[in-house]
Amino acid sequence: MVSVKSLLLAAMATVAYTAPTCQPAFVPTLPKTGGPRELPPPPPSFTLKKIAVGHGIQNYTCIDASSSPKADGAVAILYDVTKFVPGTPKTGIPQALWDKIPSALLLKPLTLNKLAGSTYGAHATKPFPKEEALKLLGFPVAEFLGHHYFDINSTPMFDLSKVGLKASVTKLDGVDAPANADKGPLKTGAVAWLQLGESGKGLSTGLTQVYRVITAGGVGLKCNVAGAGVHSVPYTTFYWFF
Ligand SMILES: *[C@@H]1O[C@H](CO)[C@@H](O)[C@H](O)[C@H]1NC(C)=O
């Protein structure tokens, strides 16, 4: 027979085990490049809403072989990695593993719908495939979160359709990626880390700033290599949404 006393003790143990702790909510901090100047951190009053890993292309236009590539839009698929950020109680992953997510993802084939006859170019009007979670070997599954693209006015847009957040942005600041950053499959280099602010065009919902950090790939080819016209370079990165 189970005694009343032992039942009582078991019940008390359960209560003690599930009692809420009074620790403040964990707040992750933006990574730093370690370079001579860092991106300004978001104001302390800003709330981190989501962290995504993005996989897509950066587009560049070359006027002719002797010009410099001009950045000309981007498209990317965003996956939700918020709960895996190191330090998150229970679901956070080790820092070394986290830092490898963009590089690991860049090794995967692009899942954007292809532009016929191009290696990395995305379909002009229907670049996005069916919404699917990201399954990277050795990493927890990341749910689909949304899309990054440039709208008809060439304004960068983040549509986190899964959670109803949107950011129409303009560049506030940028710093070079660290020298040891992943240069991508074309060996061109990792695009700059950016601080992006709300564009003021009335197109955002629930977001005021976006940071692009821990970039991999994405720098344009030299125009004497790419030739005249538009070329696309694959990239991955983390986006932090405030
Ligand atoms: C990027 O360039 C490809 C061609 O490489 C094109 O099909 C695609 O529409 C372009 N996307 C954007 C957002 O400019």
Side-chain angles (χ1 to χ4, degrees):
M1 270 288 282
V2 183
S3 75
V4 171
K5 191 178 163 200
S6 68
L7 278 177
L8 207 64
L9 282 172
M12 282 166 68
T14 309
V15 168
Y17 183 68
T18 55
T21 54
C22 293
Q23 284 162 351
F26 167 68
V27 181
T29 45
L30 266 182
K32 292 188 170 9
T33 60
R37 194 177 70 83
E38 299 288 348
L39 291 174
S45 62
F46 281 26
T47 310
L48 177 64
K49 303 270 176 73
K50 282 285 168 193
I51 306 176
V53 63
H55 189 197
I57 54 169
Q58 295 282 329
N59 273 358
Y60 296 91
T61 303
C62 287
I63 295 167
D64 56 40
S66 61
S67 60
S68 299
K70 186 186 150 295
D72 191 13
V75 278
I77 307 175
L78 308 173
Y79 304 96
D80 192 350
V81 290
T82 317
K83 67 181 180 194
F84 307 127
V85 67
T88 306
K90 294 196 178 77
T91 53
I93 65 173
Q95 187 70 49
L97 196 62
W98 170 265
D99 290 343
K100 276 192 210 129
I101 293 177
S103 277
L105 182 51
L106 198 52
L107 293 174
K108 299 261 287 187
L110 269 170
T111 51
L112 292 171
N113 294 331
K114 284 256 176 72
L115 173 71
S118 136
T119 315
Y120 297 117
H123 192 282
T125 52
K126 293 217 177 330
F128 298 119
K130 186 166 144 273
E131 297 170 6
E132 275 176 346
L134 171 66
K135 290 175 183 140
L136 267 182
L137 197 66
F139 297 88
V141 173
E143 295 303 326
F144 170 82
L145 183 61
H147 294 139
H148 171 46
Y149 55 89
F150 281 52
D151 72 10
I152 45 166
N153 300 310
S154 300
T155 306
M157 186 73 169
F158 296 88
D159 181 3
L160 312 191
S161 54
K162 267 285 138 95
V163 291
L165 297 171
K166 267 190 188 182
S168 159
V169 296
T170 183
K171 182 177 162 183
L172 297 181
D173 206 346
V175 294
D176 288 346
N180 66 355
D182 188 329
K183 293 183 167 44
L186 300 180
K187 306 281 172 235
T188 46
V191 283
W193 294 23
L194 299 178
Q195 179 195 27
L196 306 163
E198 213 284 314
S199 67
K201 296 184 177 181
L203 300 171
S204 301
T205 309
L207 295 173
T208 40
Q209 281 197 13
V210 182
Y211 284 76
R212 181 174 84 181
V213 296
I214 316 198
T215 54
V219 171
L221 290 164
K222 291 199 163 51
C223 287
N224 61 356
V225 176
V230 179
H231 69 273
S232 303
V233 183
Y235 85 108
T236 55
T237 188
F238 285 121
Y239 290 108
W240 288 48
F241 296 96
F242 294 87

